Amino acid sequence: MTKSTFATSPQPSAPHTASTTGAASPSAWLDTPHERTVYDDLGIRIDRDGIWYYHGSPIRRKELLCLFASSLQRDAEGRYWLITPHEMGPIEVEDAPFIAVELFVGGQGCERMLSFRTNVDEIVTVDEQHPLWVVIDPVSHEPSPYVALPGRREARLTRAVFYELVALGEEREDSGRTHLGVWSSGQFFSLGSVDG
């Protein structure tokens, strides 16, 4: 059975200790049995291009980036946290923390499977749990395409990868509008309306 999906969406600061059940603890949403040291600021920022910074200096070692990325989680309020078994702290994310830099295509038509590789070598296949969607800037009308990753995280597609995706697109009617979109895992994901 197929289904259509249409979418337009220096040292850390002084620590304190909070359990996963504490009302004031941001770790309440984590499934962990022990206490963590919670920092208010780790000095880590990820810019719109997916570049990680530590106190203003870019982190260039990919091995370190992959290690940090494996510890990155997002809470129900949309905040990103760097989490280790014993410590955690929030990080600033300008847009999406990761960039989808490569597209893999298997199959044809509604049986097609689309997968992306991120800039930290994480692979995700587009499906119901990991949808693809496009946000249109209301001023510039430029599209920003995203794919969902496990743990409430997101990756934004590079322009080149998005163009590859558009080349695979086909038109489909929904609620009186024509959408350009792609199939993956038996679902149709809209890249936008072609009606203007």
Side-chain angles (χ1 to χ4, degrees):
M1 179 178 293
T2 61
K3 180 178 178 182
S4 296
T5 300
F6 294 92
T8 59
S9 204
Q11 295 297 312
S13 59
H16 57 276
T17 302
S19 70
T20 58
T21 57
S25 171
S27 59
W29 52 277
L30 294 172
D31 182 20
T32 51
H34 54 268
E35 294 186 343
R36 279 191 176 91
T37 300
V38 182
Y39 292 92
D40 295 324
D41 182 14
L42 296 176
I44 297 176
R45 178 178 67 89
I46 306 175
D47 72 9
R48 179 174 169 79
D49 295 321
I51 300 174
W52 292 54
Y53 294 84
Y54 179 65
H55 290 287
S57 298
I59 302 173
R60 303 192 183 281
R61 287 184 56 198
K62 188 168 185 177
E63 298 84 358
L64 186 57
L65 286 177
C66 291
L67 177 62
F68 282 163
S70 68
S71 301
L72 187 67
Q73 297 192 40
R74 193 182 192 187
D75 66 20
E77 287 72 44
R79 298 170 298 180
Y80 283 95
W81 298 84
L82 202 60
I83 300 170
T84 71
H86 302 289
E87 298 177 322
M88 65 182 290
I91 66 172
E92 178 188 347
V93 179
E94 184 176 333
D95 185 12
F98 305 110
I99 304 295
V101 297
E102 188 173 5
L103 170 65
F104 303 97
V105 182
Q108 296 290 330
C110 63
E111 302 300 321
R112 177 178 286 146
M113 302 287 285
L114 301 175
S115 300
F116 296 100
R117 179 179 65 86
T118 72
N119 56 322
V120 293
D121 294 334
E122 182 175 359
I123 304 293
V124 62
T125 297
V126 179
D127 57 20
E128 186 174 8
Q129 287 73 41
H130 309 98
L132 174 73
W133 72 97
V134 177
V135 175
I136 304 297
D137 186 284
V139 177
S140 68
H141 305 292
E142 286 291 319
S144 293
Y146 300 87
V147 62
L149 305 176
R152 301 189 182 96
R153 301 167 305 140
E154 301 171 355
R156 182 169 53 82
L157 279 60
T158 65
R159 186 177 297 272
V161 168
F162 183 53
Y163 286 165
E164 287 185 65
L165 203 61
V166 169
L168 297 172
E170 59 184 78
E171 294 185 1
R172 184 178 174 91
E173 296 289 333
D174 181 72
S175 302
R177 297 184 67 86
T178 303
H179 291 257
L180 179 70
V182 291
W183 288 95
S184 184
S185 305
Q187 295 190 72
F188 185 82
F189 297 89
S190 175
L191 302 179
S193 172
V194 298
D195 295 331

